[in-house]
Amino acid sequence: MELPTKTFRVTRADLIRYAGASGDFNPIHWSDRIATSVGLPGVIAHGMFTMALVGRAVAEWAGAADAVVDYGVRFTRPVVVPDDDQGTEIEVTAAVREVTDAGLTRIDITATCGGEKVLSQARATIRASG
């Protein structure tokens, strides 16, 4: 069973807000000059910000944040955020892999940006909220 697709827009302003909240002011998240000097294609979103957005999708599918029992990902590709008003989009899809006798639902998650997978081994276990 496929779960409804969730789409999140990410702009440079989001990266600034996340940097302030997280304390991660690494210039690869705000300076094209620095990002490209270290071999990146441009400014990239914080990995944990990307993970948090996908986690938001999981919580929405679960019906409540406290219904998320387990959640994990591996980062495979950076989310490049252009310096414009549009930013980029992360599209999150998922499929139910298993429903256990204990009432837990295991899902496999796919997160893409620009048609490229940005996470691998993205999985969650949720329980019915109530």
Side-chain angles (χ1 to χ4, degrees), residues 2-3 10 26 33 40 44-45 47-48 63 66 74 79 98 109 121 123 126 130:
E2 296 290 319
L3 298 173
V10 179
N26 187 321
R33 180 178 53 81
L40 295 167
I44 63 169
M48 295 306 289
D66 65 354
R74 291 199 184 218
V79 173
E98 174 188 19
I109 307 159
Q121 299 180 26
R123 297 183 182 102
I126 58 178

Side-chain angles (χ1 to χ4, degrees), residues 8 21 30 35 37 42 47 53 61-62 70 75 85 93 102 104 109 112 116 128:
F8 300 96
W30 55 267
S37 76
L53 292 175
W61 289 321
D70 187 48
F75 303 102
D85 294 334
T93 59
L104 298 176
I109 307 159
T112 60
E116 305 251 0

Side-chain angles (χ1 to χ4, degrees), residues 33-58:
R33 180 178 53 81
I34 299 296
T36 57
S37 76
V38 297
L40 295 167
V43 165
I44 63 169
H46 304 73
M48 295 306 289
F49 180 57
T50 301
M51 187 176 178
L53 292 175
V54 175
R56 181 189 303 171
V58 172

Side-chain angles (χ1 to χ4, degrees), residues 7-15 43-45 49-50 53 78-91 112-116 118:
T7 304
F8 300 96
R9 180 161 300 282
V10 179
T11 66
R12 294 274 178 103
D14 294 319
L15 301 185
V43 165
I44 63 169
F49 180 57
T50 301
L53 292 175
V79 173
V80 179
V81 182
D83 188 12
D84 61 21
D85 294 334
Q86 299 303 308
T88 192
E89 286 185 339
I90 298 171
E91 185 174 274
T112 60
C113 181
E116 305 251 0
V118 296

